[in-house]
Every structure is written in C-alpha cells, then in structure tokens.
Amino acid sequence: MTRIPFLDPHVHTECRSTEDFERLKSSGCVGVLAVSGTQGGFRSPDSVLDHFERLDRYERKRIERVGLKFWLALGIHPLGIPKRGVEELMEQLPALLQRHHVDAVGEIGLESGSEMEEMVFSKQLSLAADLGLPVIVQAPQKKKANVAKKTMVLLEENPLNPARILLNHIHEEGRPEAIEKGCLLGLSVHPFGFSPEQVTALVTRTPDARFVLSADLGSQPSYLMGMPAAIVAMEDAGVPGEKIRAVVHDHAAEWLGR
Ligand SMILES: [Zn+2]
C-alpha cells in the first residue's frame, strides 16, 4: 500500500475487469484516462463511433462506480483508420469530440508514415489546437527513425502548446529533442516498457524531463500494479516525494488541465 496518490493516463479500459480497477483504487489510484484504441482494426466509421460511444457511456459509468475519476481521450490511431469512409469520419470528428465529454485527443500518431496516416494525424492535431485539448501521441511501435522524425515535424507544424503534448514510448534518441521542446514524456511500467527500477533510474538521471508514468493497461501482458511498484522503487531509492508525485500524478493532471 502506497501513500502517494497516482493517476494512470493510458488505459485501454475495455480490456480490463472491474476487479482490476478496484485493485488499482485500493493501491492509491485516484483516476484513469481511458484512451481509444484500434480494437484490432475498424471496417467502417460506424465501428469507430461505436467504440467512442462505449467508452464515453458504458466505461465511464463502470469506472466511476468503482470510485475512480474517469477522463477520456478519443482519437483515430494510425492502426485504427477504418478501411473505408475515412473522409466522412474526419468530417464528423469535430462535432463528435465536442459531443462526447473529451479531455484529450488520442492516442494518435504515425505507424507506417503513409500519406493517409499523415492526413489523419495532422487534422487531429489542428483540431486539438482549435478545441484547446491536450494530445496523446504515440511513437511508432516499430522503431522507425524516419517515421518518428516525421511525427516531430508534424507536431512542429501545428500550433499546439508543447506543454499539452504527451509523447508516449518515445525512443531514447528522440528524448533530448522532446525535452528541449517542452513536451511531456510518457513512460510505461510494462513488460515491453520499463521496470520500476528502470523508471527510477531514468527519473533520477534526467532531471530536466517532465515524465508522465502509466502502466499502459490493455489486452497485452501488463503489470497491473506497475505504478504502485514504481512509486515504492522511487521511494526506496530516495527520490523526493514531490518528484515522485509529479511523475505519477501532477504532470498528467496539469497536462489534462485539471
Ligand atoms: Zn495505448
């Protein structure tokens, strides 16, 4: 049991049980940011809309009932671009984001770096700027330097305040540029991400970075108790309490504008 409260800003809630959220709550979690995903791919705009609708209605109620705060990020992930009707979906998106109670746009980004992905990503960035919403941007899952670079270029081209850009899973080489720009850096305590000890080392070694910790809970193997474990590891290593709190709660809360 940990005393420092945390919020997890990267959860694919539909893949997790109510018991998981109850365990998070009893470990000091105050809330989660539910992010839309790919659901293994969408055939049409309607499938995307149904996914958004479920998150905003059903998931919100289910998680609030546990006693956790619920924030919502909606966006079209590069691997979730529907096979048909993209133009139509993009036209509906501004009204859609305003209709749902959306706290952030995401997760969005580039994977292959195709023209279609670039168009969808760019439009969502400028939409976030128009609506005054923060964005959650993911680095390409396959480590592609040219695609990662293009992601940064498109971020630069849009009038978004860097303090409202959360960059997830950014590769080591990209970190200095992101820190210099003033973006937030998302780290995941995850079997494919970082261990609690690695998180501790990074936080200690990189005092200029504004890190935001998550457990990236979804359908893949994960560490449900990754965030409390990272808090304990940082405490054991003598990281000051306010620094830990910034990484597991405050940076994310500020980014959300809460
Ligand atoms: Zn995700």
Side-chain angles (χ1 to χ4, degrees), residues 10 12 35 107 169 216:
H10 186 179
H12 296 283
V35 297
E107 50 194 325
H169 314 306
D216 195 359

PDB file of all heavy atoms in Angstrom, residues 10 12 35 107 169 216, ligand 1:
ATOM      1  N   HIS A  10      -3.038   6.295 -19.295  1.00  0.00           N
ATOM      2  CA  HIS A  10      -3.002   5.484 -20.524  1.00  0.00           C
ATOM      3  C   HIS A  10      -3.591   4.106 -20.234  1.00  0.00           C
ATOM      4  O   HIS A  10      -2.869   3.164 -19.947  1.00  0.00           O
ATOM      5  CB  HIS A  10      -1.544   5.358 -21.009  1.00  0.00           C
ATOM      6  CG  HIS A  10      -1.418   4.669 -22.335  1.00  0.00           C
ATOM      7  ND1 HIS A  10      -0.210   4.483 -22.954  1.00  0.00           N
ATOM      8  CD2 HIS A  10      -2.341   4.134 -23.163  1.00  0.00           C
ATOM      9  CE1 HIS A  10      -0.392   3.857 -24.111  1.00  0.00           C
ATOM     10  NE2 HIS A  10      -1.685   3.621 -24.252  1.00  0.00           N
ATOM     11  N   HIS A  12      -6.475   1.213 -21.652  1.00  0.00           N
ATOM     12  CA  HIS A  12      -7.497   0.727 -22.585  1.00  0.00           C
ATOM     13  C   HIS A  12      -8.512  -0.021 -21.730  1.00  0.00           C
ATOM     14  O   HIS A  12      -8.405  -1.232 -21.531  1.00  0.00           O
ATOM     15  CB  HIS A  12      -6.848  -0.127 -23.677  1.00  0.00           C
ATOM     16  CG  HIS A  12      -5.910   0.662 -24.530  1.00  0.00           C
ATOM     17  ND1 HIS A  12      -6.370   1.522 -25.508  1.00  0.00           N
ATOM     18  CD2 HIS A  12      -4.564   0.811 -24.494  1.00  0.00           C
ATOM     19  CE1 HIS A  12      -5.333   2.130 -26.066  1.00  0.00           C
ATOM     20  NE2 HIS A  12      -4.227   1.727 -25.474  1.00  0.00           N
ATOM     21  N   VAL A  35      -8.186   5.702 -22.989  1.00  0.00           N
ATOM     22  CA  VAL A  35      -7.825   6.141 -24.341  1.00  0.00           C
ATOM     23  C   VAL A  35      -8.415   5.185 -25.369  1.00  0.00           C
ATOM     24  O   VAL A  35      -8.461   3.980 -25.146  1.00  0.00           O
ATOM     25  CB  VAL A  35      -6.283   6.255 -24.544  1.00  0.00           C
ATOM     26  CG1 VAL A  35      -5.683   7.294 -23.632  1.00  0.00           C
ATOM     27  CG2 VAL A  35      -5.592   4.935 -24.336  1.00  0.00           C
ATOM     28  N   GLU A 107      -5.205   8.018 -28.486  1.00  0.00           N
ATOM     29  CA  GLU A 107      -3.869   8.271 -28.889  1.00  0.00           C
ATOM     30  C   GLU A 107      -3.776   8.317 -30.407  1.00  0.00           C
ATOM     31  O   GLU A 107      -4.436   7.551 -31.096  1.00  0.00           O
ATOM     32  CB  GLU A 107      -2.911   7.218 -28.301  1.00  0.00           C
ATOM     33  CG  GLU A 107      -3.352   5.795 -28.519  1.00  0.00           C
ATOM     34  CD  GLU A 107      -2.578   4.820 -27.633  1.00  0.00           C
ATOM     35  OE1 GLU A 107      -1.396   5.006 -27.358  1.00  0.00           O
ATOM     36  OE2 GLU A 107      -3.200   3.841 -27.232  1.00  0.00           O
ATOM     37  N   HIS A 169       6.092   6.405 -25.283  1.00  0.00           N
ATOM     38  CA  HIS A 169       7.022   5.384 -25.818  1.00  0.00           C
ATOM     39  C   HIS A 169       8.066   5.977 -26.754  1.00  0.00           C
ATOM     40  O   HIS A 169       8.439   5.350 -27.732  1.00  0.00           O
ATOM     41  CB  HIS A 169       6.266   4.285 -26.579  1.00  0.00           C
ATOM     42  CG  HIS A 169       5.064   3.763 -25.873  1.00  0.00           C
ATOM     43  ND1 HIS A 169       5.105   3.283 -24.592  1.00  0.00           N
ATOM     44  CD2 HIS A 169       3.766   3.662 -26.254  1.00  0.00           C
ATOM     45  CE1 HIS A 169       3.889   2.893 -24.229  1.00  0.00           C
ATOM     46  NE2 HIS A 169       3.060   3.120 -25.213  1.00  0.00           N
ATOM     47  N   ASP A 216       0.062   1.486 -19.086  1.00  0.00           N
ATOM     48  CA  ASP A 216      -0.386   1.066 -20.424  1.00  0.00           C
ATOM     49  C   ASP A 216      -1.197  -0.224 -20.346  1.00  0.00           C
ATOM     50  O   ASP A 216      -0.884  -1.219 -21.016  1.00  0.00           O
ATOM     51  CB  ASP A 216       0.840   0.904 -21.345  1.00  0.00           C
ATOM     52  CG  ASP A 216       0.443   0.824 -22.813  1.00  0.00           C
ATOM     53  OD1 ASP A 216      -0.757   0.878 -23.112  1.00  0.00           O
ATOM     54  OD2 ASP A 216       1.345   0.701 -23.660  1.00  0.00           O
TER      55      ASP A 216
HETATM   56 ZN    ZN B   1      -2.320   2.538 -25.884  1.00  0.00          ZN
END
